[in-house]
Amino acid sequence: MSDTKVTWLTQDAYDRLKHELDEMIENRPVIAARINDSREEGDLKENGGYHAAREEQGQAEARIRHLQELLRSAKVGEAPANDGTAGPGKVLTVRYEGDDEDEKFLLATREEGAEGELDVYSPESPLGKALLGAKEGEAREYELPNGKLQKVTLVKAVPYTDAK
């Protein structure tokens, strides 16, 4: 068993990340050409264009490696069932004890909801762990960073749909 963490992705999220990876790989020659053009301008110590292009290349290569690893270990599955239970891939509406307003967020990995307008909370976060498996109307508690307990009620749990 590998200690690589499995990331569950919907087919839409997998396709979006794969498309991003393909575009970044296709863009490699453009960055390399920019580095070569800047190198030909002369003294590399004081060549801002060269250093900026090298920095861009480093960031792009890091993102490519991250996406390759993520997609290699990803499990692609169907959207979760619309059963009113909190779980990964669901948009949760919650109300914190003492608050009058509801908060809505996506319970998923950052990659799953990367382009959405919703905040994304990991199932591994204290709030995410507390809500996993909760049914609509059920209250749970989790520990805040200051050590106090926060009570939260699951108001609604619906599958995330990436409406683009």
Side-chain angles (χ1 to χ4, degrees), residues 6-20:
V6 172
T7 302
W8 291 92
L9 298 173
T10 62
Q11 188 65 53
D12 285 346
Y14 181 90
D15 292 345
R16 178 173 40 82
L17 294 170
K18 178 76 171 97
H19 179 72
E20 178 186 348

Side-chain angles (χ1 to χ4, degrees), residues 71-140:
L71 294 174
R72 186 174 16 260
S73 65
K75 297 285 185 212
V76 179
E78 294 299 311
N82 192 0
D83 58 3
T85 303
K90 300 269 186 102
V91 176
L92 305 182
T93 304
V94 299
R95 180 166 295 175
Y96 297 98
E97 184 176 56
D99 275 359
D100 294 338
E101 295 187 21
D102 293 345
E103 181 181 332
K104 189 185 266 191
F105 60 88
L106 173 62
L107 188 63
T109 63
R110 296 265 177 232
E111 287 77 12
E112 180 78 22
E115 294 182 3
E117 293 180 15
L118 289 169
D119 286 335
V120 179
Y121 288 85
S122 167
E124 300 298 313
S125 69
L127 176 60
K129 284 181 182 177
L131 288 171
L132 280 176
K135 301 269 187 220
E136 290 177 356
E138 188 175 339
R140 300 272 180 101

Side-chain angles (χ1 to χ4, degrees), residues 13-27 60 63-64 66-67 70-71 111 114-115:
Y14 181 90
D15 292 345
R16 178 173 40 82
L17 294 170
K18 178 76 171 97
H19 179 72
E20 178 186 348
L21 174 62
D22 293 344
E23 282 185 346
M24 292 189 81
I25 289 172
E26 286 175 22
N27 197 37
R63 180 66 178 162
I64 287 170
H66 173 76
L67 288 172
L70 177 75
L71 294 174
E111 287 77 12
E115 294 182 3

